Amino acid sequence: MTDYRKLFDLTGKTAVVLGAASGIGKSSAEALASLGARVLCADRTQEGAEATAIAIREQGGSAAAAGCDAADRAAVEALAAKALRELQRIDIAVTTPGLNIRKTILDYTEEDLDRVINLNVKGTVWFFQAFGRIMVKQQGGSLIACSSVRAVTIEPGLAVYGSTKAAIGLLVKGFASEVGRSGVRVNAIAPSIAETALTGPFKQRPDIYDLYAGHTVFNRWSSADEVATAVAYLASDAASYVSGSTLFVDGGWTAVDGPPTGLTQLAR
Ligand SMILES: NC(=O)c1ccc[n+]([C@@H]2O[C@H](COP(=O)([O-])OP(=O)(O)OC[C@H]3O[C@@H](n4cnc5c(N)ncnc54)[C@H](O)[C@@H]3O)[C@@H](O)[C@H]2O)c1
């Protein structure tokens, strides 16, 4: 019988997580390390990445830290080179940073547009290039990017952000098609509402916080850890036949369209 437990085990694997100082990236770094991977935690805020690495080491895991701006091509190239030097091989590479400037299209400035596209779209391409090149050379690896339910369903003020997340879905499919024969897998995760620093302000607005919760079938927000487990799955050999996919970790957000409790009373 297949040793299923071993398929989820990341012992002996190496990983880079960009965005590791906070939220989904931090939890992903912790999840990968707790499953046995040696992790290089990277973030724009080097101290934040360092704090995550320290927390992992305190739990008995193996982690180091680096600074990197995900929107800066040269910095991402340098991170990949550093990771290869320190880890010898890169089995898993995860990138989570994303920018949302919440404005209607009528209000968007060119500077807003450039900032969102630079990080969300171009940053994903730079990441895929830098780490994909290494993985193609070593004939194996798992790349994981960060999409959103906003790739497929929208609200006013999120069109540009959503478009960049939809672009990530197609970048994932396209790159998966280009590197699959080299043994490299490329996937994304798509959260809906995860409690992180990014979504912290919603906590101050219980009306909006509860409204969003009501969009999920569980009537609650997720933790970042509940998204990180999906990252860990995609990173592992358990997902050996999964590539070009966006895994929705959205509490059913995209499954339901209508009143949260339905109209069964009315229909009776
Ligand atoms: N939290 C949610 O509910 C939610 C929902 C859907 C999608 N997402 C997506 O998940 C991803 C992560 O979000 P989060 O909630 O964990 O956010 P977060 O703010 O908690 O963490 C983001 C991390 O990325 C780092 N970062 C930001 N810009 C960077 C840059 N240019 N270079 C390097 N590091 C940078 C930050 O310092 C931070 O550590 C984003 O792409 C976001 O669009 C989040």
Side-chain angles (χ1 to χ4, degrees), residues 7-10 28 31-32 35 92 142 144 185 187-189 227-243 245 247 249:
L7 293 179
F8 289 92
D9 186 5
L10 301 180
S28 297
L32 298 175
L35 289 164
I92 300 155
S142 172
I144 300 161
R185 298 185 296 104
N187 295 288
I189 42 134
V227 182
T229 49
V231 170
Y233 161 67
L234 290 172
S236 76
D237 291 341
S240 57
Y241 203 60
V242 181
S243 197
S245 289
L247 177 51
V249 192

Side-chain angles (χ1 to χ4, degrees), residues 100-118:
N100 179 11
I101 297 179
R102 223 174 235 274
K103 280 185 182 177
T104 66
I105 289 178
L106 291 179
D107 288 332
Y108 245 78
T109 65
E110 187 169 1
E111 195 205 334
D112 294 334
L113 196 57
D114 284 346
R115 284 183 61 210
V116 176
I117 289 172
N118 275 344

Side-chain angles (χ1 to χ4, degrees), residues 111-179:
E111 195 205 334
D112 294 334
L113 196 57
D114 284 346
R115 284 183 61 210
V116 176
I117 289 172
N118 275 344
L119 179 59
N120 299 8
V121 181
K122 289 172 80 173
T124 302
V125 174
W126 306 146
F127 191 85
F128 283 179
Q129 275 189 352
F131 289 91
R133 208 168 270 133
I134 291 166
M135 289 178 176
V136 164
K137 208 163 170 195
Q138 69 192 17
Q139 291 286 294
S142 172
L143 286 162
I144 300 161
C146 203
S147 182
S148 164
V149 290
R150 293 312 180 200
V152 295
T153 178
I154 208 71
E155 68 185 76
L158 294 184
V160 169
Y161 171 76
S163 304
T164 64
K165 294 300 187 181
I168 288 172
L170 277 182
L171 288 172
V172 159
K173 289 184 185 184
F175 201 42
S177 78
E178 291 165 3
V179 296

Side-chain angles (χ1 to χ4, degrees), residues 18-27 42-46 48-49 52 67-72 76 95-100 118-120 145-150 161 164-165 168 189-200 202 212 221-222 224 227 249:
L18 182 51
S22 170
I24 293 162
K26 178 171 186 269
S27 291
D43 202 281
R44 191 175 48 184
T45 59
Q46 170 133 16
T52 302
C68 177
D69 181 348
D72 179 341
V76 175
T95 182
T96 69
L99 178 64
N100 179 11
N118 275 344
L119 179 59
N120 299 8
C146 203
S147 182
S148 164
V149 290
R150 293 312 180 200
Y161 171 76
T164 64
K165 294 300 187 181
I168 288 172
I189 42 134
S192 55
I193 43 170
E195 290 200 5
T196 66
L198 184 78
T199 54
F202 289 110
Y212 273 12
W221 285 58
S222 80
V227 182
V249 192

Side-chain angles (χ1 to χ4, degrees), residues 1 6 11 39 57 71 77 82 97 105 113 120-121 138 157 160 201 203 210 217 230 262:
M1 195 174 79
K6 196 156 175 268
T11 304
V39 184
R57 290 199 297 270
E77 290 283 347
K82 179 184 166 72
I105 289 178
L113 196 57
N120 299 8
V121 181
Q138 69 192 17
V160 169
K203 277 241 149 175
D210 292 344
V217 299

